[in-house]
Amino acid sequence: MMLLFSLLALLAFVCHAQAKGVFAHFMLGNSDNYTKDDWRQDISAAKAAHLDAFALNTGWGLNTKKLLDDAFSIADEVGFKLFLSLDYSGDGHWPQDQVVNVLKAYTNKTAYYRHRDDKPLVSTFEGSQAAGDWQNIKRNVDCVFIPDWSSLQPSVALGRAAVDGLMSWSAWPEGAHDTNTTQDQKYMDALDGKPYIMPISPWFYTNMDRYHKNWVWRGDDVWYKRWQDVLEIDPEYVEIISWNDYGESHYIGPIHERSLNVFDDAQAPFDYAKGMPHDGWRAFLPYVIEQYKNPGRDANVDNEGIVSWYRVNPSSACSDGKTTGNTETQAQKLYKPEEILQDKIFYSALLESPADITVSIGGNNKTATWDDKPDGSKGIYHGSIEVGKKLGDVVVTLSRDKQFLAQMKGKAITDKCEKNLTNWNAWVGNATSTGELAAKHSSSSSGDDEDSSSTRVAVGGLLQAAVLWTVIFSLA
């Protein structure tokens, strides 16, 4: 009997491991000019990064039917998932009947993401004022409802309506602090086993007159440190904020020039996303996602490489644009932006074994160091270096045993600013090793390598489960 209970416990663990998912919050309103090729580019890039789904943020009253139809069509073609995140903030209260209509139209699609009990997952951005609608909505559409009601304490949110889990929006530390897991743990404790969608984000800077938004939150080391928080907390789901919210500077997807009209629409003083790619932040996602989905398992390092990010304008270069560190809208203590964001170059490297790093600014080389190292020799190394008063092109170089490994050539740091306004957004670049490990991976790669690690894990998990059930039934 003890063996039977042990096997059942192991089976439950296997099933739980299969349930984990990593999503990216996708602003449908920023894709109003998308073609099917644009969808294909984004969805293919997300799949290559081993993401499981886009959480499609859509507000009430937006004409999104064609966008949604195209998105689900391409997701089905590429083999990717999508689910709806209904925005109750930007465009007001979703009428209950319209929620039912849109869920009925899309939750039965092949590409719609399903929770581990095979029910479609539905989320929101805020909307706690409509909590009473969801009991009736769920009678019409059988779904798993995991809203973001961050305006409420998790214990209060759980007492509202038919909630199956909760998402938090607290992806950034307050003030000049590092991230911590206090708020996440509060959610996990309140949920007591119900699913938690843990937020993670690399940056936050917004300056939009139309929406009365002009502040920064701490970015700096957050992309590295917040993934370490994920590994510590081990939630059922993780949601990256965001894929394409250019106006808040936390996009990790490719920049589509046709989508940058958001800056004109929002009456921003300048376009602070133009020429500021963030694609490098996706480079190591396959590795950290494999770590998250398979704790204790040795994740693969397919290609060694370097990712680096920094601001191209030092804090003292130009006007701060009346940007504040933190925001009164969240009842936060206000700082100067330079008290929140540091004038540093940040870098992370995915390595099979230790390596040396140097950083050059304007041709001046400086040996850098690692502030954080993985347990053992393999994994992600992280650090930063002060910019000081140096200006010019940025070059970050990895070497091992005095042999060149990888080099990232970045955008120049300058004291020339558009409209004399400091750009508090980040520039992100990356480079992959040209050494033996990369060559070995390239020569052995095949079409199967494009499948996500979650698919491989799921298949392995199903085989394990089948074996366990066979043993259990033989013991019964």
Side-chain angles (χ1 to χ4, degrees):
M1 185 60 70
M2 287 301 296
L3 177 59
L4 178 62
F5 281 128
S6 297
L7 288 170
L8 285 170
L10 181 56
L11 178 61
F13 170 79
V14 169
C15 292
H16 174 72
Q18 292 171 11
K20 288 183 175 180
V22 180
F23 318 131
H25 201 77
F26 187 103
M27 302 298 291
L28 207 60
N30 286 351
S31 63
D32 54 355
N33 294 317
Y34 264 34
T35 65
K36 286 190 175 182
D37 284 341
D38 292 325
W39 280 114
R40 190 173 289 107
Q41 178 187 356
D42 279 20
I43 288 172
S44 297
K47 185 178 181 181
H50 292 197
L51 300 183
D52 295 289
F54 283 152
L56 299 176
N57 175 294
T58 178
W60 160 242
L62 296 178
N63 185 18
T64 57
K65 184 180 185 305
K66 184 181 184 304
L67 288 174
L68 288 171
D69 288 346
D70 286 350
F72 277 95
S73 173
I74 299 302
D76 193 30
E77 172 192 310
V78 175
F80 191 67
K81 301 297 182 183
L82 312 168
F83 65 91
L84 292 171
S85 176
L86 305 176
D87 194 325
Y88 283 76
S89 175
D91 295 286
H93 185 110
W94 270 82
Q96 185 180 149
D97 63 328
Q98 295 306 310
V99 174
V100 171
N101 288 343
V102 74
L103 294 185
K104 282 187 173 180
Y106 294 102
T107 53
N108 288 324
K109 298 281 188 183
T110 305
Y112 200 95
Y113 187 88
R114 292 181 173 272
H115 185 59
R116 51 185 153 86
D117 58 4
D118 203 37
K119 293 182 181 180
L121 173 61
V122 179
S123 188
T124 71
F125 178 71
E126 285 302 335
S128 59
Q129 73 276 16
D133 293 355
W134 282 92
Q135 187 170 353
N136 185 55
I137 292 170
K138 291 181 68 176
R139 276 197 293 263
N140 285 274
V141 181
D142 191 15
C143 62
V144 170
F145 181 49
I146 308 180
D148 159 55
W149 288 345
S150 296
S151 57
L152 302 176
Q153 289 296 315
S155 57
V156 175
L158 279 171
R160 303 282 180 94
V163 172
D164 299 299
L166 290 173
M167 177 184 174
S168 166
W169 207 257
S170 299
W172 307 272
E174 181 176 345
H177 303 291
D178 288 333
T179 66
N180 63 62
T181 59
T182 302
Q183 188 71 358
D184 304 297
Q185 194 60 59
K186 185 183 293 187
Y187 272 85
M188 295 282 278
D189 291 345
L191 286 163
D192 192 25
K194 289 183 178 181
Y196 173 49
I197 301 180
M198 181 172 173
I200 180 171
S201 183
W203 208 261
F204 192 108
Y205 163 53
T206 184
N207 189 348
M208 295 183 158
D209 289 346
R210 180 181 174 186
Y211 303 116
H212 310 292
K213 296 166 60 174
N214 187 5
W215 73 86
V216 296
W217 280 326
R218 167 65 64 95
D220 292 5
D221 297 287
V222 165
W223 187 238
Y224 167 78
K225 292 183 180 297
R226 189 65 175 156
W227 275 110
Q228 304 310 303
D229 292 345
V230 167
L231 299 180
E232 175 188 338
I233 287 291
D234 194 30
E236 183 155 352
Y237 293 128
V238 174
E239 188 163 322
I240 297 168
I241 307 171
S242 65
W243 183 262
N244 66 335
D245 195 337
Y246 308 114
E248 293 186 352
S249 306
H250 44 55
Y251 52 94
I252 66 165
I255 295 175
H256 295 271
E257 292 296 328
R258 293 192 305 278
S259 297
L260 295 182
N261 57 8
V262 62
F263 292 99
D264 290 331
D265 295 342
Q267 300 170 8
F270 70 109
D271 181 345
Y272 41 86
K274 187 175 182 179
M276 303 292 278
H278 288 180
D279 303 83
W281 274 327
R282 302 197 306 272
F284 299 158
L285 280 180
Y287 183 83
V288 294
I289 288 173
E290 187 174 341
Q291 283 188 307
Y292 154 65
K293 289 187 175 181
N294 304 283
R297 182 174 170 178
D298 192 20
N300 294 324
V301 176
D302 293 331
N303 290 290
E304 295 184 301
I306 183 75
V307 176
S308 181
W309 60 95
Y310 52 91
R311 290 180 293 102
V312 298
N313 297 146
S315 299
S316 60
C318 309
S319 169
D320 64 13
K322 297 183 179 179
T323 300
T324 59
N326 287 354
T327 170
E328 288 181 330
T329 62
Q330 301 290 322
Q332 294 176 328
K333 177 183 176 181
L334 299 185
Y335 298 84
K336 294 180 179 179
E338 61 267 29
E339 295 176 314
I340 299 290
L341 299 178
Q342 302 169 82
D343 284 343
K344 287 185 174 183
I345 293 171
F346 302 89
Y347 43 80
S348 292
L350 179 59
L351 300 171
E352 189 72 36
S353 60
D356 298 316
I357 184 166
T358 59
V359 177
S360 170
I361 307 174
N364 297 306
N365 292 325
K366 185 172 183 180
T367 301
T369 57
W370 303 113
D371 299 324
D372 297 280
K373 299 178 181 179
D375 294 332
S377 61
K378 183 173 76 171
I380 295 180
Y381 293 68
H382 179 75
S384 63
I385 192 169
E386 295 277 357
V387 171
K389 297 185 180 299
K390 297 183 178 67
L391 302 175
D393 293 334
V394 174
V395 180
V396 183
T397 306
L398 284 176
S399 61
R400 180 182 292 126
D401 299 328
K402 298 184 179 180
Q403 297 295 313
F404 174 85
L405 190 63
Q407 186 174 80
M408 187 223 72
K409 296 182 179 180
K411 192 170 184 175
I413 296 175
T414 177
D415 57 4
K416 294 178 174 59
C417 311
E418 185 173 351
K419 297 185 177 180
N420 197 39
L421 296 172
T422 298
N423 190 342
W424 301 106
N425 191 8
W427 184 93
V428 186
N430 68 291
T432 301
S433 170
T434 57
E436 293 181 6
L437 186 65
K440 179 180 178 181
H441 173 71
S442 177
S443 64
S444 64
S445 65
S446 67
D448 290 341
D449 289 335
E450 296 178 0
D451 293 336
S452 70
S453 62
S454 58
T455 302
R456 295 194 294 269
V457 171
V459 171
L462 287 172
L463 290 173
Q464 294 175 51
V467 172
L468 286 168
W469 278 120
T470 302
V471 174
I472 289 169
F473 281 122
S474 70
L475 292 172

